[in-house]
Amino acid sequence: MDPEVSVMLHCAASQGLEEHHIRVEISTRFNRRSAPEIEKHIEAVWKDRVTKEPWLFNGAKFRLHSAELSTCIPSTSTNCVAGDEAAHTSNSEMAERENQLAAQEGEEASPTPVLTSSANAGCCRDTTKETQRGANTISLRRPSERRKVVLSLQLGLTCYKDFLGTNWSQEAVSLQRRGEVEFGDPQALLAQPLGVGAVLVTSDGQVILLRRSQRVAEAAGLLDIPGGHPEPKAVCQGVSEEAINVDLMQGCERAVVAELFSSVCAEVRDEVNVPLSFLSAPVLMGIALNHTSAGRPSAEFYIRCSLTTEEVKDYYWRGGPEAHESTDIVFLSRGEMLQLDESASLWSELCPSAKGAVLLYQLVRPDGV
């Protein structure tokens, strides 16, 4: 196993989860723990970075504290609900139950294409264009649709400054040790901002990777998937970054979930320059951890694009809002993605976030390949 990355949670039994399967709880209980000397260190790191890179600015981010999958199988005699009443199972147990129910229903465990409407309003999808192209209005009927499957995310708030002073700091390992001793959680003192990334697949079956610019602060020159961070300011519109707090988000949990899903589409639009109207609703494959930044979490999604490889290339080379972050676009077939591992020469060219997405794609098989 590559020490740079690991899988925190995967949705293989459901072949990925759509937006309506996600629940969030937002509380200050899920914020980073701290102490005066830690805050002093964070301020010193930030001051040093801003002195060298005055264009940096601090921004609020969602902090992932924990995540949990729940499932229960519907029956004719009982009603199933999510939350405390749901039966909690492991991924392997969930997979076994999926197959058992599929057999009872007289259908295969693999997904069946059905016509559906999009649950993701955040992607601003143009259904007229999608119908004309004949791709994006078709989604996979996932095993999660045959029973109640819920992913619950416990979120707090953090910021970019705290990330630089904890996860990205030279003190990260000592902070993890202290967190384990004092709180029973090695990540308790770390910012843990939740990122998002997309395994984006063209209509002719090619997965899109981007060659990161040498000018970016992290993983310069390596291959990555499109990605970034969901933004609390999208939920707290009209509020300054400094004024954003957990209290403002109480009662806005569905808006937070919508931001998680729409933000990954926005990253594809800005980095690959593909219009949102050509993207399917994202499917969450799971959460990967980047150990080069002390276990920073990233939610990795699967998105289908109704454009061909050549059409995507054309859009990319026109340049988008974040074109400066990459210098080239690379395509891998689905088969190559499934075979990719540490023994492949390309593996060493992948940054940790891309490696995590590859591992989740291989586990979850969201497209049924």
Side-chain angles (χ1 to χ4, degrees), residues 101-172:
L101 186 62
Q104 292 170 5
E105 294 175 350
E107 58 186 25
E108 296 180 357
S110 59
T112 303
V114 295
L115 290 177
T116 64
S117 61
S118 171
N120 185 8
C123 279
C124 304
R125 299 171 63 201
D126 184 337
T127 55
T128 301
K129 290 183 179 179
E130 290 174 347
T131 303
Q132 290 171 348
R133 300 191 69 85
N136 290 347
T137 53
I138 298 178
S139 66
L140 298 177
R141 184 186 177 196
R142 300 179 185 284
S144 56
E145 299 299 336
R146 298 196 298 266
R147 74 276 302 128
K148 191 71 173 182
V149 179
V150 173
L151 174 62
S152 299
L153 303 176
Q154 290 73 47
L155 301 177
L157 282 180
T158 186
C159 62
Y160 184 59
K161 179 175 75 172
D162 287 1
F163 167 70
L164 291 181
T166 58
N167 287 74
W168 200 240
S169 166
Q170 294 180 349
E171 299 299 319

Side-chain angles (χ1 to χ4, degrees), residues 74-325:
S75 69
T76 56
S77 59
T78 61
N79 293 322
C80 296
V81 297
D84 293 337
E85 298 179 42
H88 299 294
T89 68
S90 66
N91 284 318
S92 59
E93 291 170 334
M94 193 183 299
E96 183 177 354
R97 292 188 183 187
E98 301 284 359
N99 293 330
Q100 289 174 349
L101 186 62
Q104 292 170 5
E105 294 175 350
E107 58 186 25
E108 296 180 357
S110 59
T112 303
V114 295
L115 290 177
T116 64
S117 61
S118 171
N120 185 8
C123 279
C124 304
R125 299 171 63 201
D126 184 337
T127 55
T128 301
K129 290 183 179 179
E130 290 174 347
T131 303
Q132 290 171 348
R133 300 191 69 85
N136 290 347
T137 53
I138 298 178
S139 66
L140 298 177
R141 184 186 177 196
R142 300 179 185 284
S144 56
E145 299 299 336
R146 298 196 298 266
R147 74 276 302 128
K148 191 71 173 182
V149 179
V150 173
L151 174 62
S152 299
L153 303 176
Q154 290 73 47
L155 301 177
L157 282 180
T158 186
C159 62
Y160 184 59
K161 179 175 75 172
D162 287 1
F163 167 70
L164 291 181
T166 58
N167 287 74
W168 200 240
S169 166
Q170 294 180 349
E171 299 299 319
V173 173
S174 63
L175 289 174
Q176 286 179 307
R177 291 171 182 158
R178 181 173 173 179
E180 180 66 47
V181 171
E182 296 184 12
F183 304 103
D185 177 8
Q187 308 304 98
L189 297 169
L190 303 182
Q192 294 295 90
L194 178 62
V196 292
V199 171
L200 180 64
V201 182
T202 65
S203 63
D204 47 352
Q206 297 292 306
V207 178
I208 295 168
L209 298 174
L210 300 176
R211 178 77 65 182
R212 290 175 63 82
S213 167
Q214 292 292 343
R215 299 180 180 180
V216 297
E218 188 176 349
L222 297 180
L223 291 173
D224 199 2
I225 57 172
H229 294 86
E231 302 292 346
K233 66 182 179 183
V235 180
C236 302
Q237 295 183 7
V239 179
S240 67
E241 293 279 2
E242 297 77 14
I244 293 174
N245 60 62
V246 169
D247 291 340
L248 292 175
M249 297 196 190
Q250 299 307 309
C252 300
E253 288 79 6
R254 292 315 304 171
V256 172
V257 174
E259 169 60 10
L260 292 177
F261 278 71
S262 62
S263 64
V264 72
C265 290
E267 294 294 344
V268 170
R269 176 198 61 201
D270 294 345
E271 295 182 17
V272 189
N273 200 35
V274 170
L276 296 176
S277 58
F278 295 116
L279 305 179
S280 71
V283 172
L284 178 64
M285 299 186 295
I287 300 172
L289 302 178
N290 180 349
H291 296 291
T292 67
S293 52
R296 175 181 52 175
S298 182
E300 308 296 357
F301 295 82
Y302 170 78
I303 300 177
R304 287 173 292 112
C305 177
S306 59
L307 298 173
T308 66
T309 299
E310 291 303 316
E311 289 172 325
V312 169
K313 283 182 183 178
D314 180 59
Y315 274 104
Y316 174 79
W317 289 115
R318 294 182 201 177
E322 297 180 4
H324 62 282
E325 293 187 1

